Amino acid sequence: MKKLPLIALIAALASAPVLAANGGFDGPGAAQTTTNQTNQAGGFSGPNSGETTVAKALDLSDDSWVTLRGNIVKQLDQKHYEFTDGTGTINLEISPKRWNGINVTPKDKVEIRGKIDKDWNTREVEVKQIQIIK
């Protein structure tokens, strides 16, 4: 195999995380950082029959998929946030790659898609997708 194409492939793979979109929560408890924003677009926007409430989500079993609409009110640590929809509050675990370049404040209504992560005495939503509702 030729060395130049192999080196180019390795360099492209190594630089992908550096070029990823940045975003995150901007509110109480948020770490203050400056990021270079890149917006990504695409996907379905429309009614969703799978929408649920926090009150219902707290009673669901482990690994149940949920769609929640409400507000992220504060950041608890690097990946954990407090979410409310008026029926209750639940903690979210949001990996930095899930922000996809959007910045959210407590005033922004968001739609969260993810699965319930149930431990012995805690329950949270492991977020797979987040978007601002307009």
Side-chain angles (χ1 to χ4, degrees):
M1 187 170 181
K2 298 188 181 204
K3 292 181 183 179
L4 186 57
L6 181 61
I7 292 171
L9 176 64
I10 291 171
L13 291 174
S15 65
V18 175
L19 301 174
N22 294 317
F25 179 72
D26 186 18
Q32 297 298 321
T33 60
T34 57
T35 59
N36 186 10
Q37 293 184 7
T38 304
N39 291 328
Q40 294 180 347
F44 176 74
S45 293
N48 185 352
S49 62
E51 186 177 331
T52 189
T53 64
V54 170
K56 291 178 186 175
L58 290 171
D59 292 330
L60 294 174
S61 61
D62 192 32
D63 293 331
S64 297
W65 285 89
V66 295
T67 300
L68 302 170
R69 289 181 173 223
N71 302 82
I72 299 174
V73 292
K74 70 178 177 180
Q75 184 172 11
L76 304 173
D77 62 30
Q78 188 69 22
K79 290 184 178 182
H80 293 91
Y81 303 85
E82 186 177 307
F83 177 86
T84 186
D85 68 352
T87 67
T89 62
I90 193 167
N91 289 345
L92 305 176
E93 180 182 340
I94 307 174
S95 175
K97 68 182 179 182
R98 302 294 181 199
W99 289 106
N100 287 329
I102 64 169
N103 288 309
V104 177
T105 68
K107 295 177 184 177
D108 296 323
K109 188 170 182 180
V110 295
E111 182 175 88
I112 301 291
R113 292 187 183 106
K115 64 180 184 173
I116 299 293
D117 186 13
K118 181 180 172 185
D119 288 328
W120 289 102
N121 60 354
T122 62
R123 186 167 287 141
E124 67 183 17
V125 176
E126 183 180 329
V127 175
K128 301 298 182 182
Q129 183 181 19
I130 181 171
Q131 68 184 49
I132 295 176
I133 301 171
K134 296 182 182 182

